Amino acid sequence: MFVLAAMFAVLGAASNALGTALQRKAASAVPRGGGLGLLAALARHPVWLAGICGVILSAMFQALALVNGPLTLVQPLFMMELPFALLIAAPLMHRRLPGAGWWAVAAVVVGLTLVLVSFAPSAGEEQASMARWTPALVVCLGVMAGAVVLARPERSPLLRAAVLAAAAATGNALTAAMLKSASHTLEADGFDAFLAGWQTYGFAVVGVGSLLLLENALQAGPLVASQPALTIGDATVSLLLGILLFREEVRLGVWLLPELVGAGLIVWGVLRLIRVVPHAAQTLTGSATAEQPSGRRAPEDPSGSRAA
């Protein structure tokens, strides 16, 4: 069962990578802004709609993964979205991944493997009581609302991008938890029970809210601020929700050291990918130009083209 869960999770990460890359391409083509106006503008772009199809397919794979395995296993595997996004999009844009980029991908894969092997997540309960759901909902929704307040337009782009991405990550993790509960209801009790459960509507509403937060994070500031917060935040909050809501278990104690080493490799790999891959920002956002630190010109890549 865990093998199936891992397989579906990896397929979900690949589908989400493609879908998110298309969304980012569309986001770069609309006027800067936020709120529902941004979502309405994006909805008129065929590229964004194609990206949504990729995200829907990803959600189907995610549901299958969550039915077959614990949240603490499935959601961390979605960290593979960033390497997949670069590996899928780079050939389509006639780019090549440099050696340093491959080392960064390897660091993410090795770090994720080390974390999951050390954690050795085990399945818990299929459903959580409202006594456990209530504090989880209050905290997660409170974090998302607080992030919106904190990310005021006058704040620095770096802070706004990181805060909004962290809020989107929190929403993604909460969506996954509700999707896991709703999927088990569908499997065990049928479609009528699925439609009657509050989690079914909860994951739809929170999922849309997370999507809106993500689109605003992508426009608020640089990718180097938003992507690590999104990647690491989703896995961390999902880990906590899996333990607290569904009573899933992970190993700690002496295993904490390799877990921290693995987490460090993941963080290093994500940051390194964004910094060393030629045209990484364009690959992930679809923009024609990307900001360079301190206003410096971008270095040329090995193919002779100039990174924006």
Side-chain angles (χ1 to χ4, degrees), residues 105-179:
V105 170
V108 173
V109 173
V110 171
L112 182 56
T113 301
L114 186 58
V115 167
L116 291 177
V117 169
S118 300
F119 271 143
S122 61
E125 300 173 8
E126 293 184 352
Q127 297 289 358
S129 65
M130 280 307 301
R132 280 179 261 161
W133 270 114
T134 300
L137 290 169
V138 169
V139 171
C140 289
L141 295 177
V143 166
M144 295 169 69
V148 172
V149 173
L150 183 60
R152 296 192 297 270
E154 63 269 20
R155 300 283 189 178
S156 72
L158 196 70
L159 175 64
R160 294 188 69 232
V163 166
L164 290 172
T170 301
N172 287 342
L174 182 60
T175 299
M178 290 188 285
L179 178 61

Side-chain angles (χ1 to χ4, degrees), residues 133 137 173-183 198-199 202-203 206:
W133 270 114
L137 290 169
L174 182 60
T175 299
M178 290 188 285
L179 178 61
K180 178 178 177 65
S181 180
S183 298
W198 67 267
Q199 293 94 333
F203 81 72
V206 176

